[in-house]
Amino acid sequence: MSITLNLPRVQSLMQDLGPLVPEIDVLLQKNDNRWLLQSRDGLQIEIEHYEQPSRLMFSASIGCPDAEHLSEMHITMLCTNLLFAEEHSLRVALTHPGGEFMLISELVLEDYSLDSLRQMLTNYLQQVRYFCELISSSDQINSEAIVPLQTTGRV
């Protein structure tokens, strides 16, 4: 049986989540349906609740490579979208034309558990770290850079 979560239940779920993830330094509610999470190592993740269907959208800035490697990074991120968008609900976007890359993931809140949300958030933090590292090491950027992510089960 699927359970659709309304906003008050999601707010309660988010309050319960903070203490369960040791990597979380701060989890602030920005408004009724938005939260800002900061990890102990400084990563910032915005979490937003949407209804119909009830889901959480996770987004984090993962940086921007230097101009010399921008084209290769666009190719790498398009490959990421192709490989991971459907199966892992993971995609990359730009904040605006010429802006930073964002890593976005979505969790549909059906048959959820607090533990599954904790696990999803922990995995998402690992993914954000991986892509931040990939972008910051622009001398190694190529479309095959995402293969380790796929084969090691980090997604």
Side-chain angles (χ1 to χ4, degrees), residues 10 12 15 24 27-28 34 38 44 58 84 90 94 96-97 104 108 110-112 114 138:
V10 171
S12 176
Q15 287 176 351
I24 295 176
L27 182 59
L28 297 173
R34 279 189 149 162
Q38 183 168 329
Q44 290 191 351
F58 298 79
F84 300 118
L90 183 69
L94 292 173
H96 56 80
I104 302 167
V108 176
E110 293 180 355
D111 299 325
Y112 79 99
L114 189 56
S138 57

mmCIF file with all atom_site columns, all heavy atoms in Angstrom, residues 10 12 15 24 27-28 34 38 44 58 84 90 94 96-97 104 108 110-112 114 138:
data_model
loop_
_atom_site.group_PDB
_atom_site.id
_atom_site.type_symbol
_atom_site.label_atom_id
_atom_site.label_alt_id
_atom_site.label_comp_id
_atom_site.label_asym_id
_atom_site.label_entity_id
_atom_site.label_seq_id
_atom_site.pdbx_PDB_ins_code
_atom_site.Cartn_x
_atom_site.Cartn_y
_atom_site.Cartn_z
_atom_site.occupancy
_atom_site.B_iso_or_equiv
_atom_site.pdbx_formal_charge
_atom_site.auth_seq_id
_atom_site.auth_comp_id
_atom_site.auth_asym_id
_atom_site.auth_atom_id
_atom_site.pdbx_PDB_model_num
ATOM 1   N N   . VAL A 1 10  ? 5.832  15.346 6.238   1.00 0.00 ? 10  VAL A N   1
ATOM 2   C CA  . VAL A 1 10  ? 7.183  15.503 5.707   1.00 0.00 ? 10  VAL A CA  1
ATOM 3   C C   . VAL A 1 10  ? 8.016  16.368 6.654   1.00 0.00 ? 10  VAL A C   1
ATOM 4   O O   . VAL A 1 10  ? 9.184  16.063 6.912   1.00 0.00 ? 10  VAL A O   1
ATOM 5   C CB  . VAL A 1 10  ? 7.158  16.115 4.291   1.00 0.00 ? 10  VAL A CB  1
ATOM 6   C CG1 . VAL A 1 10  ? 8.558  16.495 3.825   1.00 0.00 ? 10  VAL A CG1 1
ATOM 7   C CG2 . VAL A 1 10  ? 6.524  15.139 3.304   1.00 0.00 ? 10  VAL A CG2 1
ATOM 8   N N   . SER A 1 12  ? 7.731  16.604 9.845   1.00 0.00 ? 12  SER A N   1
ATOM 9   C CA  . SER A 1 12  ? 8.075  15.742 10.972  1.00 0.00 ? 12  SER A CA  1
ATOM 10  C C   . SER A 1 12  ? 9.197  14.772 10.595  1.00 0.00 ? 12  SER A C   1
ATOM 11  O O   . SER A 1 12  ? 10.135 14.549 11.371  1.00 0.00 ? 12  SER A O   1
ATOM 12  C CB  . SER A 1 12  ? 6.833  14.980 11.434  1.00 0.00 ? 12  SER A CB  1
ATOM 13  O OG  . SER A 1 12  ? 7.158  14.080 12.448  1.00 0.00 ? 12  SER A OG  1
ATOM 14  N N   . GLN A 1 15  ? 12.513 16.536 10.617  1.00 0.00 ? 15  GLN A N   1
ATOM 15  C CA  . GLN A 1 15  ? 13.008 16.757 11.980  1.00 0.00 ? 15  GLN A CA  1
ATOM 16  C C   . GLN A 1 15  ? 13.643 15.491 12.538  1.00 0.00 ? 15  GLN A C   1
ATOM 17  O O   . GLN A 1 15  ? 14.654 15.541 13.238  1.00 0.00 ? 15  GLN A O   1
ATOM 18  C CB  . GLN A 1 15  ? 11.875 17.213 12.895  1.00 0.00 ? 15  GLN A CB  1
ATOM 19  C CG  . GLN A 1 15  ? 11.437 18.623 12.654  1.00 0.00 ? 15  GLN A CG  1
ATOM 20  C CD  . GLN A 1 15  ? 10.236 18.998 13.517  1.00 0.00 ? 15  GLN A CD  1
ATOM 21  O OE1 . GLN A 1 15  ? 9.629  18.155 14.180  1.00 0.00 ? 15  GLN A OE1 1
ATOM 22  N NE2 . GLN A 1 15  ? 9.884  20.270 13.495  1.00 0.00 ? 15  GLN A NE2 1
ATOM 23  N N   . ILE A 1 24  ? 25.398 15.229 8.982   1.00 0.00 ? 24  ILE A N   1
ATOM 24  C CA  . ILE A 1 24  ? 24.661 16.489 8.969   1.00 0.00 ? 24  ILE A CA  1
ATOM 25  C C   . ILE A 1 24  ? 25.126 17.365 10.118  1.00 0.00 ? 24  ILE A C   1
ATOM 26  O O   . ILE A 1 24  ? 25.098 16.965 11.275  1.00 0.00 ? 24  ILE A O   1
ATOM 27  C CB  . ILE A 1 24  ? 23.143 16.253 9.079   1.00 0.00 ? 24  ILE A CB  1
ATOM 28  C CG1 . ILE A 1 24  ? 22.617 15.522 7.844   1.00 0.00 ? 24  ILE A CG1 1
ATOM 29  C CG2 . ILE A 1 24  ? 22.403 17.582 9.253   1.00 0.00 ? 24  ILE A CG2 1
ATOM 30  C CD1 . ILE A 1 24  ? 21.141 15.169 7.915   1.00 0.00 ? 24  ILE A CD1 1
ATOM 31  N N   . LEU A 1 27  ? 20.534 21.351 9.769   1.00 0.00 ? 27  LEU A N   1
ATOM 32  C CA  . LEU A 1 27  ? 19.359 21.123 8.929   1.00 0.00 ? 27  LEU A CA  1
ATOM 33  C C   . LEU A 1 27  ? 18.336 22.174 9.321   1.00 0.00 ? 27  LEU A C   1
ATOM 34  O O   . LEU A 1 27  ? 17.721 22.088 10.382  1.00 0.00 ? 27  LEU A O   1
ATOM 35  C CB  . LEU A 1 27  ? 18.799 19.711 9.114   1.00 0.00 ? 27  LEU A CB  1
ATOM 36  C CG  . LEU A 1 27  ? 17.595 19.328 8.258   1.00 0.00 ? 27  LEU A CG  1
ATOM 37  C CD1 . LEU A 1 27  ? 17.908 19.439 6.771   1.00 0.00 ? 27  LEU A CD1 1
ATOM 38  C CD2 . LEU A 1 27  ? 17.145 17.908 8.580   1.00 0.00 ? 27  LEU A CD2 1
ATOM 39  N N   . LEU A 1 28  ? 18.191 23.204 8.466   1.00 0.00 ? 28  LEU A N   1
ATOM 40  C CA  . LEU A 1 28  ? 17.298 24.322 8.755   1.00 0.00 ? 28  LEU A CA  1
ATOM 41  C C   . LEU A 1 28  ? 16.091 24.302 7.837   1.00 0.00 ? 28  LEU A C   1
ATOM 42  O O   . LEU A 1 28  ? 16.237 24.074 6.637   1.00 0.00 ? 28  LEU A O   1
ATOM 43  C CB  . LEU A 1 28  ? 18.027 25.657 8.545   1.00 0.00 ? 28  LEU A CB  1
ATOM 44  C CG  . LEU A 1 28  ? 19.214 25.959 9.427   1.00 0.00 ? 28  LEU A CG  1
ATOM 45  C CD1 . LEU A 1 28  ? 19.902 27.226 8.958   1.00 0.00 ? 28  LEU A CD1 1
ATOM 46  C CD2 . LEU A 1 28  ? 18.771 26.098 10.863  1.00 0.00 ? 28  LEU A CD2 1
ATOM 47  N N   . ARG A 1 34  ? 10.732 23.795 2.282   1.00 0.00 ? 34  ARG A N   1
ATOM 48  C CA  . ARG A 1 34  ? 12.150 23.811 1.912   1.00 0.00 ? 34  ARG A CA  1
ATOM 49  C C   . ARG A 1 34  ? 13.049 23.748 3.131   1.00 0.00 ? 34  ARG A C   1
ATOM 50  O O   . ARG A 1 34  ? 12.796 24.400 4.132   1.00 0.00 ? 34  ARG A O   1
ATOM 51  C CB  . ARG A 1 34  ? 12.493 25.096 1.169   1.00 0.00 ? 34  ARG A CB  1
ATOM 52  C CG  . ARG A 1 34  ? 12.142 25.079 -0.253  1.00 0.00 ? 34  ARG A CG  1
ATOM 53  C CD  . ARG A 1 34  ? 12.722 26.306 -0.888  1.00 0.00 ? 34  ARG A CD  1
ATOM 54  N NE  . ARG A 1 34  ? 13.027 25.956 -2.259  1.00 0.00 ? 34  ARG A NE  1
ATOM 55  C CZ  . ARG A 1 34  ? 13.224 26.834 -3.187  1.00 0.00 ? 34  ARG A CZ  1
ATOM 56  N NH1 . ARG A 1 34  ? 13.212 28.102 -2.909  1.00 0.00 ? 34  ARG A NH1 1
ATOM 57  N NH2 . ARG A 1 34  ? 13.470 26.446 -4.404  1.00 0.00 ? 34  ARG A NH2 1
ATOM 58  N N   . GLN A 1 38  ? 23.468 21.396 5.757   1.00 0.00 ? 38  GLN A N   1
ATOM 59  C CA  . GLN A 1 38  ? 24.904 21.582 5.612   1.00 0.00 ? 38  GLN A CA  1
ATOM 60  C C   . GLN A 1 38  ? 25.601 20.405 6.271   1.00 0.00 ? 38  GLN A C   1
ATOM 61  O O   . GLN A 1 38  ? 25.320 20.071 7.425   1.00 0.00 ? 38  GLN A O   1
ATOM 62  C CB  . GLN A 1 38  ? 25.384 22.885 6.243   1.00 0.00 ? 38  GLN A CB  1
ATOM 63  C CG  . GLN A 1 38  ? 26.863 23.096 6.016   1.00 0.00 ? 38  GLN A CG  1
ATOM 64  C CD  . GLN A 1 38  ? 27.319 24.491 6.367   1.00 0.00 ? 38  GLN A CD  1
ATOM 65  O OE1 . GLN A 1 38  ? 26.567 25.439 6.241   1.00 0.00 ? 38  GLN A OE1 1
ATOM 66  N NE2 . GLN A 1 38  ? 28.555 24.602 6.820   1.00 0.00 ? 38  GLN A NE2 1
ATOM 67  N N   . GLN A 1 44  ? 26.481 22.032 0.924   1.00 0.00 ? 44  GLN A N   1
ATOM 68  C CA  . GLN A 1 44  ? 25.132 22.535 1.179   1.00 0.00 ? 44  GLN A CA  1
ATOM 69  C C   . GLN A 1 44  ? 24.167 21.902 0.201   1.00 0.00 ? 44  GLN A C   1
ATOM 70  O O   . GLN A 1 44  ? 24.411 21.893 -1.007  1.00 0.00 ? 44  GLN A O   1
ATOM 71  C CB  . GLN A 1 44  ? 25.087 24.054 1.057   1.00 0.00 ? 44  GLN A CB  1
ATOM 72  C CG  . GLN A 1 44  ? 25.823 24.739 2.175   1.00 0.00 ? 44  GLN A CG  1
ATOM 73  C CD  . GLN A 1 44  ? 25.565 26.233 2.205   1.00 0.00 ? 44  GLN A CD  1
ATOM 74  O OE1 . GLN A 1 44  ? 24.965 26.797 1.307   1.00 0.00 ? 44  GLN A OE1 1
ATOM 75  N NE2 . GLN A 1 44  ? 26.022 26.866 3.259   1.00 0.00 ? 44  GLN A NE2 1
ATOM 76  N N   . PHE A 1 58  ? 16.313 16.924 -4.077  1.00 0.00 ? 58  PHE A N   1
ATOM 77  C CA  . PHE A 1 58  ? 17.599 17.277 -3.483  1.00 0.00 ? 58  PHE A CA  1
ATOM 78  C C   . PHE A 1 58  ? 18.430 17.981 -4.558  1.00 0.00 ? 58  PHE A C   1
ATOM 79  O O   . PHE A 1 58  ? 18.522 17.490 -5.681  1.00 0.00 ? 58  PHE A O   1
ATOM 80  C CB  . PHE A 1 58  ? 18.355 16.032 -3.027  1.00 0.00 ? 58  PHE A CB  1
ATOM 81  C CG  . PHE A 1 58  ? 17.652 15.254 -1.961  1.00 0.00 ? 58  PHE A CG  1
ATOM 82  C CD1 . PHE A 1 58  ? 16.606 14.393 -2.266  1.00 0.00 ? 58  PHE A CD1 1
ATOM 83  C CD2 . PHE A 1 58  ? 18.049 15.372 -0.637  1.00 0.00 ? 58  PHE A CD2 1
ATOM 84  C CE1 . PHE A 1 58  ? 15.957 13.677 -1.281  1.00 0.00 ? 58  PHE A CE1 1
ATOM 85  C CE2 . PHE A 1 58  ? 17.407 14.647 0.356   1.00 0.00 ? 58  PHE A CE2 1
ATOM 86  C CZ  . PHE A 1 58  ? 16.357 13.806 0.032   1.00 0.00 ? 58  PHE A CZ  1
ATOM 87  N N   . PHE A 1 84  ? 22.254 7.848  -15.566 1.00 0.00 ? 84  PHE A N   1
ATOM 88  C CA  . PHE A 1 84  ? 21.711 7.767  -14.217 1.00 0.00 ? 84  PHE A CA  1
ATOM 89  C C   . PHE A 1 84  ? 20.333 8.372  -14.001 1.00 0.00 ? 84  PHE A C   1
ATOM 90  O O   . PHE A 1 84  ? 19.749 8.185  -12.943 1.00 0.00 ? 84  PHE A O   1
ATOM 91  C CB  . PHE A 1 84  ? 22.689 8.405  -13.224 1.00 0.00 ? 84  PHE A CB  1
ATOM 92  C CG  . PHE A 1 84  ? 24.024 7.735  -13.197 1.00 0.00 ? 84  PHE A CG  1
ATOM 93  C CD1 . PHE A 1 84  ? 25.166 8.433  -13.556 1.00 0.00 ? 84  PHE A CD1 1
ATOM 94  C CD2 . PHE A 1 84  ? 24.147 6.408  -12.833 1.00 0.00 ? 84  PHE A CD2 1
ATOM 95  C CE1 . PHE A 1 84  ? 26.411 7.821  -13.536 1.00 0.00 ? 84  PHE A CE1 1
ATOM 96  C CE2 . PHE A 1 84  ? 25.383 5.789  -12.813 1.00 0.00 ? 84  PHE A CE2 1
ATOM 97  C CZ  . PHE A 1 84  ? 26.518 6.493  -13.173 1.00 0.00 ? 84  PHE A CZ  1
ATOM 98  N N   . LEU A 1 90  ? 19.013 10.611 -10.805 1.00 0.00 ? 90  LEU A N   1
ATOM 99  C CA  . LEU A 1 90  ? 20.138 11.528 -10.615 1.00 0.00 ? 90  LEU A CA  1
ATOM 100 C C   . LEU A 1 90  ? 20.380 12.249 -11.931 1.00 0.00 ? 90  LEU A C   1
ATOM 101 O O   . LEU A 1 90  ? 20.465 11.622 -12.985 1.00 0.00 ? 90  LEU A O   1
ATOM 102 C CB  . LEU A 1 90  ? 21.388 10.739 -10.230 1.00 0.00 ? 90  LEU A CB  1
ATOM 103 C CG  . LEU A 1 90  ? 22.644 11.509 -9.910  1.00 0.00 ? 90  LEU A CG  1
ATOM 104 C CD1 . LEU A 1 90  ? 22.484 12.281 -8.609  1.00 0.00 ? 90  LEU A CD1 1
ATOM 105 C CD2 . LEU A 1 90  ? 23.822 10.548 -9.801  1.00 0.00 ? 90  LEU A CD2 1
ATOM 106 N N   . LEU A 1 94  ? 22.502 23.093 -15.051 1.00 0.00 ? 94  LEU A N   1
ATOM 107 C CA  . LEU A 1 94  ? 23.222 24.333 -14.804 1.00 0.00 ? 94  LEU A CA  1
ATOM 108 C C   . LEU A 1 94  ? 22.329 25.261 -13.990 1.00 0.00 ? 94  LEU A C   1
ATOM 109 O O   . LEU A 1 94  ? 21.114 25.292 -14.182 1.00 0.00 ? 94  LEU A O   1
ATOM 110 C CB  . LEU A 1 94  ? 23.589 25.026 -16.116 1.00 0.00 ? 94  LEU A CB  1
ATOM 111 C CG  . LEU A 1 94  ? 24.614 24.330 -16.992 1.00 0.00 ? 94  LEU A CG  1
ATOM 112 C CD1 . LEU A 1 94  ? 24.734 25.045 -18.335 1.00 0.00 ? 94  LEU A CD1 1
ATOM 113 C CD2 . LEU A 1 94  ? 25.970 24.270 -16.300 1.00 0.00 ? 94  LEU A CD2 1
ATOM 114 N N   . HIS A 1 96  ? 22.319 28.440 -14.278 1.00 0.00 ? 96  HIS A N   1
ATOM 115 C CA  . HIS A 1 96  ? 21.909 29.361 -15.340 1.00 0.00 ? 96  HIS A CA  1
ATOM 116 C C   . HIS A 1 96  ? 22.952 29.234 -16.446 1.00 0.00 ? 96  HIS A C   1
ATOM 117 O O   . HIS A 1 96  ? 24.027 28.658 -16.220 1.00 0.00 ? 96  HIS A O   1
ATOM 118 C CB  . HIS A 1 96  ? 21.799 30.807 -14.817 1.00 0.00 ? 96  HIS A CB  1
ATOM 119 C CG  . HIS A 1 96  ? 23.049 31.318 -14.176 1.00 0.00 ? 96  HIS A CG  1
ATOM 120 N ND1 . HIS A 1 96  ? 24.127 31.792 -14.886 1.00 0.00 ? 96  HIS A ND1 1
ATOM 121 C CD2 . HIS A 1 96  ? 23.417 31.395 -12.874 1.00 0.00 ? 96  HIS A CD2 1
ATOM 122 C CE1 . HIS A 1 96  ? 25.092 32.154 -14.066 1.00 0.00 ? 96  HIS A CE1 1
ATOM 123 N NE2 . HIS A 1 96  ? 24.691 31.912 -12.828 1.00 0.00 ? 96  HIS A NE2 1
ATOM 124 N N   . PRO A 1 97  ? 22.681 29.731 -17.661 1.00 0.00 ? 97  PRO A N   1
ATOM 125 C CA  . PRO A 1 97  ? 23.688 29.619 -18.723 1.00 0.00 ? 97  PRO A CA  1
ATOM 126 C C   . PRO A 1 97  ? 25.035 30.201 -18.263 1.00 0.00 ? 97  PRO A C   1
ATOM 127 O O   . PRO A 1 97  ? 25.102 31.330 -17.784 1.00 0.00 ? 97  PRO A O   1
ATOM 128 C CB  . PRO A 1 97  ? 23.093 30.444 -19.870 1.00 0.00 ? 97  PRO A CB  1
ATOM 129 C CG  . PRO A 1 97  ? 21.613 30.385 -19.635 1.00 0.00 ? 97  PRO A CG  1
ATOM 130 C CD  . PRO A 1 97  ? 21.454 30.379 -18.123 1.00 0.00 ? 97  PRO A CD  1
ATOM 131 N N   . ILE A 1 104 ? 21.155 16.975 -9.004  1.00 0.00 ? 104 ILE A N   1
ATOM 132 C CA  . ILE A 1 104 ? 19.765 16.923 -8.561  1.00 0.00 ? 104 ILE A CA  1
ATOM 133 C C   . ILE A 1 104 ? 19.327 15.467 -8.454  1.00 0.00 ? 104 ILE A C   1
ATOM 134 O O   . ILE A 1 104 ? 19.637 14.649 -9.322  1.00 0.00 ? 104 ILE A O   1
ATOM 135 C CB  . ILE A 1 104 ? 18.850 17.659 -9.563  1.00 0.00 ? 104 ILE A CB  1
ATOM 136 C CG1 . ILE A 1 104 ? 19.307 19.109 -9.714  1.00 0.00 ? 104 ILE A CG1 1
ATOM 137 C CG2 . ILE A 1 104 ? 17.392 17.576 -9.134  1.00 0.00 ? 104 ILE A CG2 1
ATOM 138 C CD1 . ILE A 1 104 ? 18.692 19.821 -10.892 1.00 0.00 ? 104 ILE A CD1 1
ATOM 139 N N   . VAL A 1 108 ? 10.651 9.844  -4.561  1.00 0.00 ? 108 VAL A N   1
ATOM 140 C CA  . VAL A 1 108 ? 9.200  9.767  -4.455  1.00 0.00 ? 108 VAL A CA  1
ATOM 141 C C   . VAL A 1 108 ? 8.884  9.117  -3.119  1.00 0.00 ? 108 VAL A C   1
ATOM 142 O O   . VAL A 1 108 ? 9.446  8.074  -2.766  1.00 0.00 ? 108 VAL A O   1
ATOM 143 C CB  . VAL A 1 108 ? 8.588  8.970  -5.629  1.00 0.00 ? 108 VAL A CB  1
ATOM 144 C CG1 . VAL A 1 108 ? 7.080  8.818  -5.449  1.00 0.00 ? 108 VAL A CG1 1
ATOM 145 C CG2 . VAL A 1 108 ? 8.910  9.651  -6.949  1.00 0.00 ? 108 VAL A CG2 1
ATOM 146 N N   . GLU A 1 110 ? 6.773  7.180  -1.583  1.00 0.00 ? 110 GLU A N   1
ATOM 147 C CA  . GLU A 1 110 ? 5.826  6.080  -1.500  1.00 0.00 ? 110 GLU A CA  1
ATOM 148 C C   . GLU A 1 110 ? 6.539  4.925  -0.815  1.00 0.00 ? 110 GLU A C   1
ATOM 149 O O   . GLU A 1 110 ? 7.697  4.654  -1.111  1.00 0.00 ? 110 GLU A O   1
ATOM 150 C CB  . GLU A 1 110 ? 5.362  5.655  -2.889  1.00 0.00 ? 110 GLU A CB  1
ATOM 151 C CG  . GLU A 1 110 ? 4.529  6.700  -3.596  1.00 0.00 ? 110 GLU A CG  1
ATOM 152 C CD  . GLU A 1 110 ? 4.093  6.235  -4.970  1.00 0.00 ? 110 GLU A CD  1
ATOM 153 O OE1 . GLU A 1 110 ? 4.510  5.143  -5.411  1.00 0.00 ? 110 GLU A OE1 1
ATOM 154 O OE2 . GLU A 1 110 ? 3.340  6.975  -5.614  1.00 0.00 ? 110 GLU A OE2 1
ATOM 155 N N   . ASP A 1 111 ? 5.837  4.251  0.038   1.00 0.00 ? 111 ASP A N   1
ATOM 156 C CA  . ASP A 1 111 ? 6.418  3.117  0.764   1.00 0.00 ? 111 ASP A CA  1
ATOM 157 C C   . ASP A 1 111 ? 7.778  3.505  1.362   1.00 0.00 ? 111 ASP A C   1
ATOM 158 O O   . ASP A 1 111 ? 8.736  2.757  1.301   1.00 0.00 ? 111 ASP A O   1
ATOM 159 C CB  . ASP A 1 111 ? 6.573  1.905  -0.155  1.00 0.00 ? 111 ASP A CB  1
ATOM 160 C CG  . ASP A 1 111 ? 5.242  1.447  -0.706  1.00 0.00 ? 111 ASP A CG  1
ATOM 161 O OD1 . ASP A 1 111 ? 4.237  1.553  0.031   1.00 0.00 ? 111 ASP A OD1 1
ATOM 162 O OD2 . ASP A 1 111 ? 5.190  1.008  -1.862  1.00 0.00 ? 111 ASP A OD2 1
ATOM 163 N N   . TYR A 1 112 ? 7.831  4.688  1.902   1.00 0.00 ? 112 TYR A N   1
ATOM 164 C CA  . TYR A 1 112 ? 9.059  5.221  2.474   1.00 0.00 ? 112 TYR A CA  1
ATOM 165 C C   . TYR A 1 112 ? 9.267  4.666  3.870   1.00 0.00 ? 112 TYR A C   1
ATOM 166 O O   . TYR A 1 112 ? 8.365  4.109  4.492   1.00 0.00 ? 112 TYR A O   1
ATOM 167 C CB  . TYR A 1 112 ? 8.981  6.749  2.568   1.00 0.00 ? 112 TYR A CB  1
ATOM 168 C CG  . TYR A 1 112 ? 8.171  7.175  3.767   1.00 0.00 ? 112 TYR A CG  1
ATOM 169 C CD1 . TYR A 1 112 ? 8.799  7.557  4.944   1.00 0.00 ? 112 TYR A CD1 1
ATOM 170 C CD2 . TYR A 1 112 ? 6.792  7.110  3.766   1.00 0.00 ? 112 TYR A CD2 1
ATOM 171 C CE1 . TYR A 1 112 ? 8.067  7.890  6.068   1.00 0.00 ? 112 TYR A CE1 1
ATOM 172 C CE2 . TYR A 1 112 ? 6.058  7.439  4.886   1.00 0.00 ? 112 TYR A CE2 1
ATOM 173 C CZ  . TYR A 1 112 ? 6.697  7.828  6.039   1.00 0.00 ? 112 TYR A CZ  1
ATOM 174 O OH  . TYR A 1 112 ? 5.981  8.136  7.150   1.00 0.00 ? 112 TYR A OH  1
ATOM 175 N N   . LEU A 1 114 ? 11.942 6.004  7.331   1.00 0.00 ? 114 LEU A N   1
ATOM 176 C CA  . LEU A 1 114 ? 12.960 6.953  7.762   1.00 0.00 ? 114 LEU A CA  1
ATOM 177 C C   . LEU A 1 114 ? 14.344 6.424  7.407   1.00 0.00 ? 114 LEU A C   1
ATOM 178 O O   . LEU A 1 114 ? 15.215 7.170  6.981   1.00 0.00 ? 114 LEU A O   1
ATOM 179 C CB  . LEU A 1 114 ? 12.831 7.209  9.269   1.00 0.00 ? 114 LEU A CB  1
ATOM 180 C CG  . LEU A 1 114 ? 13.670 8.338  9.837   1.00 0.00 ? 114 LEU A CG  1
ATOM 181 C CD1 . LEU A 1 114 ? 13.417 9.658  9.126   1.00 0.00 ? 114 LEU A CD1 1
ATOM 182 C CD2 . LEU A 1 114 ? 13.398 8.491  11.326  1.00 0.00 ? 114 LEU A CD2 1
ATOM 183 N N   . SER A 1 138 ? 39.949 19.121 -12.963 1.00 0.00 ? 138 SER A N   1
ATOM 184 C CA  . SER A 1 138 ? 39.599 19.278 -14.368 1.00 0.00 ? 138 SER A CA  1
ATOM 185 C C   . SER A 1 138 ? 40.635 18.718 -15.343 1.00 0.00 ? 138 SER A C   1
ATOM 186 O O   . SER A 1 138 ? 40.327 18.497 -16.493 1.00 0.00 ? 138 SER A O   1
ATOM 187 C CB  . SER A 1 138 ? 39.329 20.750 -14.686 1.00 0.00 ? 138 SER A CB  1
ATOM 188 O OG  . SER A 1 138 ? 40.452 21.524 -14.354 1.00 0.00 ? 138 SER A OG  1
#
